Amino acid sequence: MSLDLDGFFSKEQGDELPLILAGPILRKVTASHISIWLVCSERLQATFSLYNSEVAAPFFQAEVQAEHQIQVGVNAWVVHAQFTGCFPTDTTLQYCLDTQQGKITTLLPHLLYRDETALTFSIKPRADYVLHGSCRNPHHPSQDSLVAADDKVSTQAINERPALLMMSGDQIYADHVAGPTLDAIEQVIKLLGLSNEGFPDGCESELASAEDIFNSPHHFYGRDKLLPHYVHDHLDSRFSRLKDYLPKRMLPVFSSRESENHLITFAEYFAMYLLVWSPQLWTLVNTNRLAEQDFIVNGQMLSSKWQQLWHEEKQHIDVFVAGLPQVQRLMAHIPTYMIFDDHDVTDDWNLTVGWEKAAFDSLLARRVIGNGLMSYWLCQGWGNAPEHFDENFMTLARRYFAQPTIAHHDEFIAHLYRFGQWHYTIETQPKMLVLDTRTRRWRSESRMNKPSGLMDWEALVEMQQAMLNEPAVIIVSAAPMFGVKFIETLQRGMTWLGQPLLIDAENWMAHPGAANTLLSIFTHTKTPTNFVILSGDVHYSFAYDIKLRFRRSSPNIFQITSSGIKNEFPNRLLRVCDTMDRLLYSPRSPLNWLTKRKRLKIFKRDPDTHGHDRLVNRSAIGEL
């Protein structure tokens, strides 16, 4: 790759880039605020017009402001257009972006549903119909449920459409990237002239910049050799007396078992977002480039194992890309909200204190995690709650993207590590509380390898305050608050053996403090009488009805877990877990009294599917 003098990769000569590279995605939409996210190849000059379907002339018009745009590469501008006014609710609205190259629907005619002449949506103050799901892995062999959602929306009248789409984690898989996707990412970085990121002195690897990664023989299917490692000796305090006798091992900081193509730089994270939400850039890259080069990467040929995997992944990626026009259309019509889970940054992100310490002590690991957060903010977080990002935040962001030096990069990442406002509230009826279960964890004080609570005491108290005296509330938690007891028992067993990362011991009941505080919130007399919990993460789906024991007027608690949008659990293993859970944790089983949920009665709903399995193992998107 060649470089411009200012530290950006230079764009190859060839066809001109289209104006719209990704989006538009409807983001936060209320009676007083409308925001739209998109990425353009140049500064966007556009007029936003809003129409009532019964009147030909727009009743609201505004220009897309320069302050709502950030240039992140030579040919890449992130636009988070925001408009304030008094907008009608529960009515059909049409919107148009008239750009310097024409109307957006002229540039992207596939965005229109049949018989539409403009993009349509409705501002619905009631969350009475919600689409929700998580875990969308582009190269998983299952079907993309966002395509299925678009198929359904295409048949619905506007007043019948969902009020919003909630994506509750793992919108990308940064730690598990297909070879063809990584090849496309590299080409996109060059097409858009994204930054050639420099790494600070003292990094464990010999990488000086992003260019070194692309020139490394480990660039494809070998990045686990570039990622940082740490010395593992006595993380488990129970064996600390044996410290001097136990052999020391070098373990990877990033614990994903499929990290051969793990994203590292900000440009890579950002490019992946563009490739998973819109088809435009896929038409500009050569998805067969690696095969045409006889799988020779920087002078070395990939092994037959990786070549075979590349061909398998390529088949699934081709199907995924074919569905992207529908995904782009869906998110242009339905207000879309998001929250991260671990794979948006890296697998097992902040799972234990030991993991956090190993990651924070590594300059390279800290940079990779920071790059994940930077891209999350630009592509997800900014649109959820733009009011959370004050002038100081925006100044640091603009300073880095204007001059992407190592110092500015580290300064912005340090601010992201301290930032505590990733959670947010959607002011619908009922109110929706979207939880940050990754960066405000209740860390274990007894053992470094013991799972942290998904939220600390202060965060849980804030959640409780937000719900007080509400008649009903919808809680969005990436991981289920009430999981499958047999699987939770397996996770506790692996934690006791000092291997919580092996099967992702990630559940609300794994940490006593977080579990007891959560249960106390549900039993508090001033909390809502109706809870709905939307969750995902686990790659299978199930539903629970939950009641309090020993209470005549128990609140109604419903948990609906829908996962994954494009991912599935190993089927045979899930069937075993489902059967064992039925046998060992039936309602009359004494084992129920040995768990932290003994103050609750949990009724497992039987799905409307063939067979007797309560855990549904297929890619799906939930409808509430």
Side-chain angles (χ1 to χ4, degrees):
M1 282 191 173
S2 58
L3 292 172
D4 287 339
L5 294 178
D6 56 3
F8 292 89
F9 287 109
S10 59
K11 178 185 179 296
E12 288 182 328
Q13 297 298 316
D15 295 336
E16 288 299 313
L17 291 171
L19 176 64
I20 308 300
L21 303 175
I25 301 178
L26 275 177
R27 297 307 317 274
K28 181 178 180 179
V29 172
T30 70
S32 60
H33 180 99
I34 295 174
S35 60
I36 302 172
W37 179 94
L38 62 162
V39 177
C40 300
S41 59
E42 59 186 80
R43 183 187 290 276
L44 181 64
Q45 301 171 33
T47 301
F48 172 76
S49 300
L50 197 59
Y51 300 81
N52 187 308
S53 59
E54 299 176 355
V55 181
F59 69 86
F60 177 87
Q61 278 190 316
E63 300 298 314
V64 175
Q65 299 297 314
E67 66 212 47
H68 296 153
Q69 307 186 45
I70 294 182
Q71 185 177 11
V72 300
V74 176
N75 303 287
W77 295 77
V78 176
V79 183
H80 182 223
Q82 301 177 50
F83 309 101
T84 57
C86 185
F87 307 120
T89 61
D90 291 323
T91 188
T92 298
L93 298 175
Q94 298 176 333
Y95 74 95
C96 177
L97 282 171
D98 196 355
T99 76
Q100 62 260 47
Q101 293 186 16
K103 294 182 178 181
I104 196 167
T105 49
T106 302
L107 301 176
L108 303 172
H110 66 271
L111 292 181
L112 294 173
Y113 288 116
R114 58 184 180 181
D115 302 328
E116 280 188 340
T117 57
L119 298 172
T120 55
F121 72 107
S122 179
I123 303 172
K124 298 186 177 182
R126 288 191 56 80
D128 51 5
Y129 179 17
V130 173
L131 291 179
H132 69 104
S134 69
C135 308
R136 186 166 173 257
N137 186 344
H139 63 277
H140 192 275
S142 59
Q143 297 299 307
D144 190 347
S145 300
L146 290 184
V147 174
D150 178 76
D151 286 337
K152 183 164 185 176
V153 169
S154 69
T155 66
Q156 295 173 317
I158 296 174
N159 62 348
E160 298 173 342
R161 290 178 187 171
L164 59 92
L165 166 64
M166 171 54 63
M167 301 174 72
S168 59
D170 299 341
Q171 278 65 259
I172 65 170
Y173 274 69
D175 55 285
H176 186 198
V177 182
T181 304
L182 187 62
D183 194 15
I185 286 171
E186 180 184 349
Q187 295 177 62
V188 166
I189 289 172
K190 194 170 185 179
L191 281 170
L192 303 188
L194 300 180
S195 172
N196 177 39
E197 180 178 325
F199 297 105
D201 294 336
C203 274
E204 300 84 340
S205 69
E206 297 181 358
L207 301 174
S209 68
E211 189 177 24
D212 292 340
I213 300 174
F214 299 134
N215 293 333
S216 168
H218 302 306
H219 175 29
F220 288 101
Y221 298 108
R223 292 188 168 205
D224 49 322
K225 300 177 180 63
L226 301 176
L227 293 170
H229 288 63
Y230 70 100
V231 176
H232 174 84
D233 47 27
H234 64 296
L235 287 179
D236 192 333
S237 60
R238 293 175 298 173
F239 303 117
S240 59
R241 293 182 180 179
L242 301 176
K243 169 185 173 182
D244 297 330
Y245 304 98
L246 293 173
K248 292 179 171 57
R249 294 182 298 158
M250 293 295 292
L251 294 181
V253 173
F254 296 111
S255 51
S256 172
R257 292 180 292 277
E258 296 155 317
S259 60
E260 298 87 6
N261 288 331
H262 199 302
L263 303 182
I264 295 177
T265 68
F266 163 76
E268 291 176 337
Y269 276 92
F270 177 69
M272 187 164 189
Y273 277 106
L274 308 189
L275 291 170
V276 300
W277 284 342
S278 299
Q280 277 69 37
L281 287 167
W282 285 103
T283 65
L284 303 176
V285 302
N286 179 7
T287 57
N288 290 309
R289 186 179 69 157
L290 206 59
E292 292 172 357
Q293 296 174 177
D294 297 322
F295 295 100
I296 296 175
V297 178
N298 296 320
Q300 293 189 19
M301 179 177 287
L302 293 178
S303 69
S304 58
K305 167 189 172 183
W306 299 125
Q307 292 185 37
Q308 180 180 351
L309 180 60
W310 188 93
H311 285 296
E312 293 172 359
E313 292 171 337
K314 177 69 165 56
Q315 295 179 21
H316 303 314
I317 289 296
D318 287 346
V319 176
F320 174 80
V321 172
L324 284 176
Q326 286 187 256
V327 174
Q328 188 178 25
R329 180 171 68 174
L330 174 72
M331 295 197 290
H333 288 78
I334 306 296
T336 303
Y337 295 83
M338 310 174 189
I339 190 64
F340 48 50
D341 204 13
D342 55 345
H343 295 287
D344 294 285
V345 176
T346 187
D347 192 20
D348 299 325
W349 178 30
N350 293 343
L351 180 62
T352 67
V353 179
W355 191 98
E356 284 194 64
K357 182 179 185 303
F360 192 79
D361 287 346
S362 162
L363 291 177
L364 182 57
R366 207 182 315 164
R367 171 61 69 83
V368 173
I369 294 168
N371 287 335
L373 281 170
M374 285 171 59
S375 60
Y376 170 79
W377 167 67
L378 268 177
C379 300
Q380 298 193 56
W382 195 6
N384 292 326
E387 66 276 6
H388 286 180
F389 306 103
D390 59 16
E391 184 177 349
N392 180 48
F393 189 106
M394 298 303 297
T395 297
L396 291 173
R398 293 185 186 281
R399 181 184 301 162
Y400 167 68
F401 289 115
Q403 294 181 309
T405 64
I406 292 175
H408 289 165
H409 201 151
D410 289 343
E411 182 183 30
F412 188 31
I413 285 177
H415 187 72
L416 291 172
Y417 265 88
R418 296 189 300 268
F419 187 73
Q421 291 291 316
W422 297 118
H423 60 288
Y424 59 97
T425 300
I426 306 174
E427 295 294 346
T428 51
Q429 290 296 326
K431 180 187 291 188
M432 295 183 67
L433 304 180
V434 185
L435 307 182
D436 167 10
T437 60
R438 282 290 162 186
T439 71
R440 303 181 71 188
R441 294 218 155 182
W442 195 326
R443 295 170 179 84
S444 173
E445 298 179 358
S446 58
R447 284 186 288 153
M448 298 283 279
N449 247 14
K450 189 174 180 180
S452 300
L454 271 64
M455 289 169 60
D456 61 21
W457 182 84
E458 182 180 22
L460 286 167
V461 169
E462 287 180 16
M463 181 185 80
Q464 183 181 30
Q465 291 298 315
M467 321 192 275
L468 286 179
N469 301 313
E470 292 285 334
V473 68
I474 299 174
I475 299 174
V476 179
S477 168
M481 288 186 166
F482 305 100
V484 178
K485 283 191 176 183
F486 179 73
I487 294 177
E488 290 180 352
T489 301
L490 292 179
Q491 292 171 334
R492 281 198 298 273
M494 296 309 298
T495 298
W496 187 87
L497 293 173
Q499 299 293 328
L501 303 178
L502 190 62
I503 57 171
D504 294 352
E506 199 124 47
N507 64 76
W508 280 86
M509 301 298 141
H511 185 280
N516 291 325
T517 305
L518 180 68
L519 296 181
S520 296
I521 290 173
F522 284 124
T523 58
H524 196 281
T525 56
K526 291 185 179 181
T527 51
T529 55
N530 292 286
F531 290 91
V532 175
I533 303 164
L534 301 183
S535 62
D537 177 57
V538 292
H539 303 173
Y540 51 87
S541 302
F542 59 96
Y544 288 164
D545 297 344
I546 302 145
K547 295 284 188 180
L548 303 182
R549 296 183 187 272
F550 320 119
R551 279 269 298 272
R552 290 183 179 178
S553 56
S554 168
N556 300 307
I557 305 172
F558 307 96
Q559 178 179 276
I560 304 169
T561 301
S562 180
S563 176
I565 290 176
K566 195 178 189 300
N567 217 331
E568 293 175 354
F569 200 87
N571 193 58
R572 289 186 178 179
L573 179 57
L574 188 64
R575 298 285 71 86
V576 170
C577 292
D578 194 1
T579 301
M580 295 302 294
D581 189 68
R582 286 171 178 266
L583 292 174
L584 298 178
Y585 294 97
S586 64
R588 295 181 178 83
S589 170
L591 290 177
N592 280 323
W593 291 92
L594 300 178
T595 70
K596 294 182 178 67
R597 304 195 313 229
K598 57 191 174 219
R599 285 183 279 168
L600 304 174
K601 291 186 291 185
I602 296 180
F603 303 94
K604 303 171 184 177
R605 290 201 180 197
D606 292 322
D608 297 329
T609 56
H610 296 294
H612 302 286
D613 301 319
R614 287 196 176 119
L615 306 179
V616 178
N617 193 29
R618 66 181 64 171
S619 289
I621 193 160
E623 291 183 287
L624 170 66

